[in-house]
Structure formats: C-alpha cells, structure tokens
Amino acid sequence: RASPSVIDGKWGVVRDMPQSVPVQHFTPRNSRDFQGEKQFDVPPHALRIRFANRDKLWQQDEILVYDDGYDAATATRFETLELPGITDPAQIWRDGRYHIATARLRPEKYSFTVDIEHIVCTRGDLIRLTHDVPLFGLHSARVKEIAWENGSAVAVTLDAEVEIEDGKNYSLRFRKSAGETLVAAVTAQSGTVKTLYLQTPLAQQDAPQPGDLSMFGETGQDSAEMIVQAIRPGADFTARIICVDAAPEVHQADQGEIPAFDAQISVPPELRRPPPPKILSVQSGPEVLLAEDGGFTPRIVVHFAPPPAEEELELRVDIRAVEDEFFQKASFAQIAPHAVSITGVKTGGIYDLRFFYLRRRGWSSQETLLPNYFVTGTGGPPRDVENFRLNIHAHSAYLSWNPSPAPNLSHYVLRFAPGTAATGWEESVDMLPSIGKGTNSVSVPALAGTYLIKAVDLDGRMSENPSKILSGAAGLSGYNAVAVLDEAPDFAGEKNRMATIGGVLRLAGDDSIDDWDAIDTVQRFDIGLSGLAESGTYGFGGAFDLGAVYSSTLSAEMDIAVLDLSHAVDEWANVDLRPKWDSAAAGGSVWDVRLELRTTEDDPQEAEAEWSDWTDFLIGDYTARGFDFRLVVESADAFVTPVLSALRVKIDMPDRVDGAEDILSDAAGSTVLFTKIFRNIPAVAVAGHDMQTGDYFAVEHVTSAGFDIRFFNAAGEGIVRRFNYVAKGYGIQQ
C-alpha cells in the first residue's frame, strides 16, 4: 500500500494510510478547469492472488479473497492479482480485501488546475474539496467581514450569498492564513443571506480573518475528503491535481463488511426534487362539462393541495387511455391557483393520469398516479331524432327533423336502404355520414327505399333507435345502369372466417338446426358449441373494371338477419311452444356489418395497379376505373352472427350533355374536342350560321373525345362558317 516518490528532492515513500488533518483546501475560488472521471467496471466476485508462501517453504501458492456476499459455492467471476514481495498468507488476504474495497469505494477520479497553492500538498496527502460540479458542499466564498462582540467573533459576512433551509443544521469551514482548518456551526436562519451568525462565538486568536477561504454546507457535508493521487506541474507555477475519495473505510476492509460507496453529494435546494402533487378531488360529471362552439365537451377537473414549497412550481399532466401502451402529454389549463381542467377525453372513457411538479431548472417530482379513472361526462347516448320528415321535388328529396337537445351533440348520420319495405339500421348504407350539429335539413337524391337518421354525440355514441322514412319515389331517375354486382345466393367470393350455408352468408362456426339434413342423424340435441369467429371478411368475386376512368354513382343493398347459436334444442321446455325452428335473434348491439370499397384508376387486373385504401361504402359518385368491394362482419358474442341473404352493388352513370356556341370552322375544316371525354360515343347535332343556298357540312370521325367538321359550298369547295353543336352521351373519362 505504498509507492516510491521524490519529496523535496529526496527519495521517499508515499503510503496510503488513514489521515484526519487536511493539508490544503480547494474550492472554485482557488481552482479551475474541474473534471471528473468514473470507472464502470464489472467487479469480480473474488481475487485470485498468487504469491510465494513462506509457510510452505516459499513454494508458489494461491489464495482466493472473496468480496462480500460470495464464497466458494457462489463466486463465478474471478480476477488475478500479483502482490510481489509479500509472503505472509494473512497479509495477502488483508491486502486482497484492501484492493476490493479500493475498487468499490474509489471509483472516481477528480482533477483541477491550481496556482502556486499546490506546493502545500504532495502525493498521498489528505485535502478538502468543495465544488459545485460534483456537488461537494453547497457554497464556497471568502470572508469579507467579521462582526465582533465583547472581543469575540459572533458573525461572519461572506462575499457571496448562501441559501439556508428551515430545519437543517449548517456549518462553515475556514482555511486560515496558516493553512489550518476551522469548523464553526451557524445558528438557524432561513432564506438567502450573506451574514451568518455563529452558534459559539470565537476568540480573536481562533477567529477567521477577512480574505480567508470558506466552505459552506450542511453539518458534516461542507466539503469532501480527498487523497492526492498525482500532481502534474504546468506553466507559470500551476499544476494539475488528480485526487480520489479518501474513503477511510478501505483500511478496515479486513475487519468486516465493506460499506456502499458514498458519493458525498450535497444537493442544493434548487436542484432538489419538489414534493409530488397531492390530489384533493377529481370531477368529470355534468357539473364540469365545458361549453364551447354551441355544445358541451367532457373534461376532468382536478384540485390539488397547495405545495409546501414557496417557490413557483410548474405542473405537468400525462394521460393514457387504458387500451393504450404509452402516456402522452395531456391538454390541460389552469382554472384556479391549484386546479386544472383536462380536455381531450371521452364520456365513458377510462384513463390513467399522472401528475408531476417541475422546478424552474427542469427537476421533477415523483409522480402522483391516478389509475383507471372513469369519465362520467354527459351520461347516456343522445335521444332518438324526432319529427323526421320528407318532401319530394323533381329528382330531389328534402329531409328535415327537429334539432337534437343533446348538449354534447357532434353530428347526425343519414343512411339509405333501397326496397319497398322499411329496413333496419344495420342493413342500410351511409348516405351522409356526418351532418353538422347545426343542420336540421338536407337535400339528397329522391330514391325508392328507406331513409334512416341517428344523432351522434362527441363520444361517438349514437341514438338507440333510428328515425325512418319509407319513400316510394323513383330511384336514380335518368341514370343508366352499367352493372349490378349480385353476390347472392352463391356468395362465390373470397371468404375469410366466413361460411355460406343454405344460400346465406355468415360467420364461420357451429351450425343451427336449420342445417340438419335429417333429424334422425343427430346424436344429441345440444350442438356442443365451440363458438363463432369474432370477425370475418367477404370479398366480392373479383374487381369490376369499367375499362377506363369514369364518374359513376354507386348504391348498395343488403338483407340481414341474425342467428343466435346458443339457443340449443336441449334448452327448449316444450317444442310446441317454439315459434320458429331456426335460431333467429336480435342481438344488434353485439354485431356489426359494413360494406367497404377501394378504387383504382389503373387496370384492376394488373398486379401493379395502385389501389386506394379500404374505406366505408357511401352512396354517391366515385371517379375510378376499377372498383373492389368487401364485406366486414364483426360480433362481440361468440354465438351470434349476422346472416346475409342479399348483397348487391349497383354502378350507374348519368346522362351528360355537352355543347358550345358560335364556333368558327375554317375552309380546311376543324376538330372539336368535348369539354370532357364521354364514356361512350355520343350523338352529335350541328347547326350552321349564315348558311347560303347549296351550302352543306360533313361531320366525321366522331369519337368519345370529339369530332371533325367541315363546311362546303354548292361547288364542293371548303368554306368558313360558324356553328353550334350539342353532344349527348354518358359518363366521363378523366
């Protein structure tokens, strides 16, 4: 535990041994360029030390020195250490423990540059260090003035402010002019001060003097003890001092357990974590609904107890829906000195919330977690739409209804289902999926079928029952049908967890009694249900190709029933009382059927065709070349499945008339291009202006994009004329 050294020009020995009196004090006031270095080695479980054992006639021997908590049965990581010159096995063991303790308790090196003051200390000396980078002590300063009373020093004024907290004990350490150290306890104060009063007055010969170096901190933590490991001289009488923690416990490692490493950190108040927020109350019911934009939005209002710290603290709020994995910053506003309003939540939603206090420099408190909080919000869904009315004019249907009184109304959803009988909500298709909450009338095409409407609140909840109007108006008047894609009854498209049984399409799973070929072949009258698929898709039998890009009007029709397979025959008390032998059931609240489509402007048969994303099917106009349709069926009940007996999509294109007036045709003839290219070759009618006797014209090369025209006189010569034209066809090519 020693090494050779040159001290004052003479060879000597530097020993690592316990010391109690520091030879020098260093602070930012007499040093600069502080640096720190820490080793993050993986410590061995034991040291394998080889030596010449004098107890065995100087033969090479080996001793295992174990770290605390390890022995021959548990140690797996070893390192080899050579200690030449030591032959005593007991000394080998003691030095092995010393080296284990040194690695654990001296993992850091500190270095700084000082001026000529470095000559006071040499390698191996004990010094005291106060510094704001490694947080050794709280403040450093120099003595500015001494207050005397009856010949004794009673207070010391420093040239820098120090911060004192209530309920803590503090001390001042002075490096006096002769180099000796003096520690004095200060009386209880609070706040930021420069003058500190001493608990015990100091005699004049013991008191510090103006200019003396001082170190301030909590009692016993005003500075850290260090051992000088190296001194590297520099220019102008400067030197770089490298030191390590004194850690006097390394010298007792052979006498008991080695304590944990003490970083000797003194955290100043401004770097200390603030206390966590304390929640007093939480509200999210109708009493705290937020009125905005003519509606009401749910929110969470949280009241906190005032924090004990007098300084300003910033509150941070994180939120996570229970179905999400990660927290994100919540949207909130301060509505009182210690209360916040958290928005962006849904009625009926369940959220985890966590709260932090942040200090000015970004230090945060520990979190206060509010788990699984249920947002009460507005309560139930909006009421059914009332007074739903219809007026037909020409080819338009004017629908109106009474505005919904729901305070948190978001919008209305209008659906349509063709046919001569009223239809349910699930069998209908979206016509206008989002009608603004301030609107209570719309104009749509006059169709033959059922119009249905529901109100939707801000949380996405719909009215329980749709309001319906059955209209007998002619549907899609003036439209030319291009194709009707009828999937029933074969349903020959691609099925994923779907099945076709008896000409109907349903989720794959166990069969009902309707599917039995002969009742005598059934061994048991309970079906032994294994459950249906939770969801499935049905893709139409291939994409439909219009041949080019056109604007078309799409409509759809579905006939849906519900099958509940949990109604097994064993459960029937009396078969004569069974009104139906199939398992038809309602179950609309646990299942959903929706039609989706995607489009492309490319050839849909090509593998490189670029398709749009799948979107919900809406009755309306689409511009595309190819269409692809699929049905998505979902059920939250393992024994309930929707059953489709009809599924068809109709693709129509409207008639279109194009034309222009006062067009000039030169003697060589002209080419006329239609405003937009027709889907077909249209009929063209031409009227010439200022025609003379014998004049005539010829219309040639009529295509879907235009035609050629030339005017002639009676002699058959080309002439200049003006004309009008009208072209009638259907469809548009982009």
Side-chain angles (χ1 to χ4, degrees):
R1 309 184 195 182
S3 62
S5 178
V6 178
I7 304 174
D8 296 332
K10 298 180 181 180
W11 283 98
V13 175
V14 173
R15 299 172 60 195
D16 186 8
M17 55 188 297
Q19 302 179 64
S20 59
V21 180
V23 300
Q24 183 58 294
H25 303 71
F26 293 104
T27 75
R29 292 303 186 94
N30 63 344
S31 66
R32 63 182 184 274
D33 301 333
F34 178 90
Q35 291 183 352
E37 176 185 332
K38 184 169 183 175
Q39 299 291 332
F40 291 94
D41 296 330
V42 179
H45 299 163
L47 294 177
R48 192 186 303 274
I49 306 177
R50 298 172 182 171
F51 69 107
N53 192 338
R54 68 184 183 186
D55 294 341
K56 296 182 180 180
L57 300 178
W58 317 105
Q59 293 184 15
Q60 284 294 316
D61 200 358
E62 183 178 86
I63 287 181
L64 291 176
V65 181
Y66 294 99
D67 196 355
D68 294 336
Y70 296 97
D71 54 25
T74 58
T76 58
R77 186 183 300 117
F78 300 89
E79 288 188 9
T80 300
L81 177 65
E82 299 283 350
L83 294 178
I86 303 178
T87 61
D88 182 3
Q91 184 64 37
I92 288 290
W93 185 85
R94 287 194 295 269
D95 285 348
R97 291 286 294 174
Y98 163 82
H99 283 287
I100 291 174
T102 300
R104 181 188 295 182
L105 303 180
R106 293 175 177 175
E108 301 184 51
K109 289 184 180 180
Y110 316 97
S111 62
F112 45 87
T113 301
V114 299
D115 57 17
I116 199 170
E117 290 191 11
H118 72 84
I119 65 173
V120 177
C121 58
T122 60
R123 190 163 65 92
D125 283 345
L126 177 69
I127 62 172
R128 283 267 180 180
L129 176 63
T130 297
H131 208 285
D132 57 339
V133 174
L135 299 178
F136 296 153
L138 293 176
H139 296 279
S140 62
R142 288 192 180 272
V143 176
K144 183 177 181 181
E145 186 179 351
I146 304 296
W148 301 93
E149 187 175 304
N150 299 324
S152 298
V154 295
V156 176
T157 301
L158 306 177
D159 64 353
E161 292 181 335
V162 298
E163 188 172 355
I164 298 178
E165 295 181 85
D166 290 332
K168 294 188 176 182
N169 299 319
Y170 294 91
S171 298
L172 275 169
R173 181 181 294 270
F174 303 97
R175 186 192 68 177
K176 301 178 69 174
S177 57
E180 65 269 33
T181 185
L182 169 66
V183 180
V186 299
T187 59
Q189 295 173 262
S190 63
T192 303
V193 297
K194 284 188 175 181
T195 300
L196 296 100
Y197 295 90
L198 306 178
Q199 288 187 9
T200 303
L202 297 174
Q204 185 172 7
Q205 65 273 18
D206 299 327
Q209 300 298 318
D212 284 352
L213 194 65
S214 64
M215 291 158 270
F216 174 80
E218 294 184 39
T219 299
Q221 294 180 281
D222 56 84
S223 58
E225 290 185 335
M226 299 286 153
I227 297 294
V228 177
Q229 189 182 63
I231 301 177
R232 298 174 181 171
D236 298 326
F237 302 105
T238 63
R240 188 79 179 168
I241 294 181
I242 302 172
C243 55
V244 296
D245 293 274
E249 296 85 0
V250 300
H251 304 292
Q252 288 85 43
D254 58 345
Q255 301 173 21
E257 290 190 359
I258 303 171
F261 170 68
D262 182 8
Q264 306 184 78
I265 291 176
S266 297
V267 182
E270 66 270 15
L271 298 182
R272 212 166 291 142
R273 300 184 77 172
K278 182 179 180 181
I279 299 174
L280 295 180
S281 65
V282 185
Q283 298 170 284
S284 64
E287 71 279 3
V288 294
L289 285 176
L290 187 64
E292 57 182 11
D293 298 331
F296 293 88
T297 302
R299 61 175 176 169
I300 302 173
V301 174
V302 185
H303 291 266
F304 301 95
E310 296 181 0
E311 62 177 313
E312 285 190 22
L313 296 175
E314 177 187 350
L315 180 69
R316 172 176 167 175
V317 183
D318 292 343
I319 191 169
R320 176 182 65 186
V322 291
E323 63 270 15
D324 295 337
E325 183 176 357
F326 300 106
F327 280 93
Q328 59 184 356
K329 286 187 177 180
S331 175
F332 72 97
Q334 197 92 17
I335 58 174
H338 304 291
V340 294
S341 167
I342 304 169
T343 55
V345 297
K346 295 181 179 181
T347 296
I350 301 177
Y351 300 90
D352 296 329
L353 296 116
R354 61 183 184 187
F355 307 90
F356 306 84
Y357 278 136
L358 297 177
R359 277 205 170 97
R360 212 171 33 249
R361 296 190 181 183
W363 297 95
S364 68
S365 70
Q366 292 183 335
E367 69 176 30
T368 296
L369 182 65
L370 180 64
N372 299 323
Y373 182 77
F374 179 83
V375 178
T376 306
T378 55
R383 294 189 332 205
D384 298 344
V385 176
E386 298 178 349
N387 199 18
F388 191 32
R389 304 176 298 277
L390 168 68
N391 289 314
I392 301 292
H393 178 70
H395 302 306
S396 297
Y398 296 91
L399 300 167
S400 60
W401 57 91
N402 291 348
S404 172
N408 64 331
L409 179 69
S410 172
H411 61 279
Y412 301 93
V413 176
L414 180 68
R415 286 187 171 188
F416 177 79
T420 57
T423 310
W425 183 259
E426 289 76 15
E427 294 89 351
S428 57
V429 179
D430 284 347
M431 177 173 271
L432 295 176
S434 182
I435 303 172
K437 63 181 180 180
T439 302
N440 66 327
S441 65
V442 293
S443 175
V444 295
L447 308 176
T450 304
Y451 296 93
L452 307 94
I453 192 170
K454 281 189 176 185
V456 184
D457 65 15
L458 293 172
D459 300 311
R461 297 175 299 178
M462 290 186 173
S463 309
E464 184 175 353
N465 303 300
S467 297
K468 304 178 184 180
I469 294 177
L470 178 61
S471 171
L476 300 174
S477 176
Y479 281 25
N480 296 316
V482 173
V484 176
L485 310 182
D486 196 345
E487 297 297 299
D490 297 332
F491 295 102
E494 181 179 353
K495 304 178 186 69
N496 180 18
R497 297 189 298 275
M498 301 286 291
T500 304
I501 301 175
V504 296
L505 181 68
R506 42 161 278 194
L507 288 170
D510 294 310
D511 298 337
S512 69
I513 193 172
D514 285 344
D515 303 317
W516 298 348
D517 294 329
I519 194 168
D520 295 334
T521 65
V522 179
Q523 301 299 316
R524 283 176 51 88
F525 265 43
D526 57 354
I527 304 175
L529 298 172
S530 59
L532 295 159
E534 295 181 358
S535 63
T537 59
Y538 172 77
F540 279 36
F544 185 79
D545 185 8
L546 295 177
V549 178
Y550 306 116
S551 290
S552 306
T553 299
L554 273 59
S555 59
E557 182 177 352
M558 296 184 289
D559 289 340
I560 305 177
V562 186
L563 186 65
D564 188 347
L565 299 178
S566 65
H567 294 170
V569 178
D570 281 352
E571 300 172 1
W572 300 350
N574 188 336
V575 72
D576 294 329
L577 300 178
R578 188 71 178 176
K580 295 182 64 178
W581 276 63
D582 59 9
S583 304
S589 61
V590 298
W591 60 270
D592 181 45
V593 175
R594 64 182 184 275
L595 187 60
E596 296 182 341
L597 85 160
R598 60 176 183 168
T599 63
T600 181
E601 295 186 358
D602 303 326
D603 183 348
Q605 307 305 324
E606 296 290 338
E608 296 80 10
E610 184 175 344
W611 289 90
S612 67
D613 294 333
W614 287 103
T615 58
D616 290 341
F617 180 94
L618 301 176
I619 295 177
D621 293 337
Y622 296 83
T623 300
R625 171 174 173 171
F627 296 93
D628 197 8
F629 303 92
R630 74 177 181 186
L631 195 72
V632 179
V633 180
E634 297 175 341
S635 177
D637 190 322
F639 303 122
V640 173
T641 174
V643 176
L644 285 89
S645 56
L647 175 61
R648 62 183 63 90
V649 173
K650 187 177 181 181
I651 303 176
D652 298 295
M653 289 192 297
D655 288 338
R656 185 167 67 83
V657 177
D658 200 352
E661 298 179 351
D662 201 25
I663 302 174
L664 180 65
S665 175
D666 58 28
S670 301
T671 298
V672 177
L673 299 178
F674 301 133
T675 305
K676 293 183 178 179
I677 301 174
F678 284 89
R679 169 68 177 87
N680 65 332
I681 298 177
V684 178
V686 176
H689 296 181
D690 303 324
M691 300 289 281
Q692 304 297 320
T693 302
D695 289 352
Y696 65 96
F697 61 85
V699 176
E700 298 177 330
H701 308 120
V702 180
T703 68
S704 60
F707 61 91
D708 295 333
I709 186 171
R710 187 179 182 187
F711 286 84
F712 302 90
N713 58 20
E717 299 171 343
I719 58 176
V720 176
R721 288 288 184 268
R722 292 184 177 276
F723 67 96
N724 301 344
Y725 83 90
V726 174
K728 186 175 183 181
Y730 63 85
I732 296 175
Q733 296 188 48
Q734 299 299 324

